[in-house]
Amino acid sequence: MSKRIFVTATNTNIGKTFTSQLLIGAFSRMGLRVGVYKPIETGVTTLPADGEALFQTALSFNPELASLSIDDIVTLQFPLPAAPFVANKGEKIDLSRFDTALAKIEALCDIIIIEGAGGLMVPIDDENMMIDLPRHFNAATFLVTHCNLGCINDTLLSINALENAALPYVWGLNCRSEDKNFETVSLPYFNHRFESIYQIEKDIDAIAKALLDTISLQNEEIA
Ligand code: GTP
Ligand code: MG
């Protein structure tokens, strides 16, 4: 089994795909063959946009993936842009379908980046939420958070959920050039509360290394 990373965010549209693409580059520069996977994508009319963006970026570093198709990368695709529970009308989703799909991609890579949908408390069906996937996959989680006003609350809520679920994780801030007030209105608290913080674009290589360390620790605990 290859190393697995589950990318989640404080909400939809925060930068999971953007960050996953940066991680593909960072792990590739470390000499790893990178694979990508998006178990569920909603709002798909023709091609799944996230799956396609991840697939094309990964292909540019790992040509072995060319034997796969976009349907191998995105198992479940729904037209309604909504939580999977709603897009799939509450029907049960058999998680073992994801395991079969992952095995096919993992034959071609050393590490796989799995992009969730929305944030951690997005319902998949009556039994599972997004937060249940990193445990199911035995993946280390990377939480993408934002730099707008409200990011302290959003970040702490997601971190709290990960800690309550005892999931190993790394988190980072996806600051955009338009987030002008971050340094005065939010950063002082993050600096007070955390020994160090990652800013995704600037620190992507350090984040990739921290994720590898997290996976190693996780595997030691299992062994
Ligand atoms: P969903 O998968 O739809 O929930 O969204 P996501 O969390 O994957 O977010 P995505 O990476 O698609 O980013 C949302 C939008 O913001 C996209 O149009 C990105 O191109 C843009 N974006 C993400 N991060 C950055 C950034 O750091 N800077 C800028 N300028 N744009 C960004
Ligand atoms: Mg996305």
Side-chain angles (χ1 to χ4, degrees), residues 3-222:
K3 301 175 196 309
R4 294 175 170 181
I5 290 162
F6 182 81
V7 177
T8 189
T10 49
N11 210 327
T12 186
N13 216 31
I14 297 296
K16 293 181 297 295
T17 306
F18 176 80
T19 302
S20 298
Q21 288 174 298
L22 292 180
L23 283 174
I24 294 168
F27 288 124
S28 300
R29 286 191 294 278
M30 291 175 170
L32 295 167
R33 294 174 310 154
V34 186
V36 286
Y37 185 51
K38 174 104 184 170
I40 310 172
E41 184 159 344
T42 66
V44 179
T45 42
T46 48
L47 272 183
D50 279 12
E52 193 55 26
L54 296 173
F55 190 24
Q56 290 309 323
T57 305
L59 257 176
S60 71
F61 289 98
N62 180 4
E64 284 186 62
L65 300 176
S67 60
L68 301 175
S69 76
I70 186 64
D71 293 337
D72 294 319
I73 306 293
V74 188
T75 304
L76 299 179
Q77 304 172 21
F78 300 105
L80 191 69
F85 180 98
V86 178
N88 194 31
K89 302 186 176 69
E91 281 177 35
K92 186 167 169 40
I93 289 177
D94 178 5
L95 301 189
S96 71
R97 288 188 63 182
F98 302 150
D99 303 331
T100 310
L102 271 174
K104 188 168 177 185
I105 306 167
E106 287 184 317
L108 308 168
C109 61
D110 308 308
I111 188 162
I112 187 156
I113 297 167
I114 304 166
E115 184 186 334
L120 289 164
M121 292 300 168
V122 164
I124 294 175
D125 61 14
D126 238 348
E127 235 170 86
N128 291 301
M129 316 275 276
M130 269 301 143
I131 194 169
D132 297 306
L133 290 188
R135 179 158 338 274
H136 177 81
F137 292 141
N138 189 30
T141 298
F142 184 68
L143 170 70
V144 181
T145 181
H146 65 91
C147 299
N148 295 319
L149 188 59
C151 63
I152 296 173
N153 174 67
D154 292 350
T155 304
L156 296 184
L157 280 173
S158 285
I159 285 180
N160 203 23
L162 290 166
E163 300 222 335
N164 287 341
L167 290 167
Y169 68 94
V170 175
W171 68 277
L173 288 151
N174 183 31
C175 295
R176 308 182 187 195
S177 48
E178 58 269 30
D179 299 329
K180 299 233 180 302
N181 295 327
F182 171 71
E183 294 193 354
T184 41
V185 303
S186 303
L187 184 62
Y189 178 76
F190 286 120
N191 281 337
H192 165 74
R193 167 76 190 267
F194 298 97
E195 246 172 57
S196 64
I197 54 168
Y198 292 121
Q199 295 206 26
I200 288 171
E201 266 191 287
K202 181 163 66 73
D203 299 323
I204 197 68
D205 292 320
I207 289 169
K209 195 177 165 307
L211 284 166
L212 289 182
D213 291 344
T214 303
I215 292 170
S216 299
L217 272 176
Q218 211 178 342
N219 291 345
E220 271 172 33
E221 275 166 25
I222 291 168

